[in-house]
Amino acid sequence: ATAATAATTAAAELRSASFVWLPHHQDPRWPVLQLRMPAVSGGWVVRLIPVLPADAFAAAKLAPERVNLRDRTSATAKGATAGADAPGAAPSPEYNNRLALEASYAPALGLLHATYAAAGASGALREATILLKVWLRQRSVQQAGGVTGFQLSLLLVHLLRARVVTRSMGAYHVFRVVLSFLAKTMLEDHPVALPPPPAGGGGEDEHEHEGEAGQVHAVAAARFGRHFAWVLADSSAGVNYGAGVTRGALRELQEQAARSLRAIDSAALDDAAAFAELFTTPQPPPLKYDALFSFPFPPLSGPAAEEAVGKARAAAE
């Protein structure tokens, strides 16, 4: 009877499950499969994130200046050989970096987990990260081309290594210091190179690799600066985690951080009002801009999509 009851319960839970494809970190080119099971006690949400093996591609093939998106017909006509870039073909830095990111996503998560679990960690860094993500979400900055919570988490690791924040600070203190950094720093002119993940999985001094930081910063700026608005590179300058962020989004993030600091320091707001301004009051686009424009996109498939593609090709010819 117990086994039959368990089987019935499991079947009911599976029938209640829903599947949906979502863009990972706001990028529709990197879809994740989300499984939601509301019938399970407390409700479960499982996300399956596809990644590439770290050695799937040689690092040299994913350099920003390489051409990995080709028109096979035109490449053949121009005499390009297999494995070589077609003469005059445009590089594909966004595509190349996306492949590199999928192959280096696990090390980035390892770096974050090791930072939060390192000796001397009080939990304030983890709480500060949550505050930053909530603050970012309420400002609707996390849209296509905007900064993500994942990127802000990596930036916090950099600020810890640079001693802008320390482990002795409380969560709210760390949050305020990060806001001050964002308000005063032109991120597009401030390339960042992250420290390597600890070899032992934790406990490594985050300042151990400071001597190498300047050199990696220079390499990352030279490699990615011409192709991306924001350089947030890994320790080997092989991937740019800041890819996809526009200059406009960086300026908006800077302005939002400055406004939030003014709200914190305002004598006209008590603590409850300041907290609401920072974390609980949504600030959607209609409250931030004078005018909004929307552009309809053609469907992804069907006769209308084929017609749109045909018109685009005719215009290109």
Side-chain angles (χ1 to χ4, degrees), residues 151-173:
Q151 291 166 331
L152 276 190
S153 300
L154 293 176
L155 181 63
L156 181 56
V157 173
H158 163 70
L159 296 179
L160 178 65
R161 196 269 298 274
R163 293 189 174 93
V164 176
V165 299
T166 66
R167 297 189 183 277
S168 62
M169 294 179 178
Y172 192 72
H173 190 185

Side-chain angles (χ1 to χ4, degrees), residues 192-206:
V192 172
L194 297 168
E204 184 176 340
D205 183 1
E206 59 262 16

Side-chain angles (χ1 to χ4, degrees), residues 65-87:
E65 64 275 6
R66 290 299 299 269
V67 180
N68 287 316
L69 290 177
R70 305 182 182 90
D71 184 325
R72 185 180 299 273
T73 303
S74 62
T76 303
K78 293 179 180 179
T81 59
D85 294 341

Side-chain angles (χ1 to χ4, degrees), residues 6 16 25-26 40 60 86 104 160 162 164 167 176 191 209 243 249 251 266:
S16 71
H25 295 314
Q26 305 157 199
V40 179
S104 60
L160 178 65
V164 176
R167 297 189 183 277
R176 183 188 177 100
H209 300 276
R251 299 292 176 85
S266 174

Side-chain angles (χ1 to χ4, degrees), residues 51-59 62 99-107:
V51 297
L52 293 170
D55 57 352
F57 299 98
L62 300 181
L99 294 179
L101 176 56
E102 291 189 28
S104 60
Y105 187 57

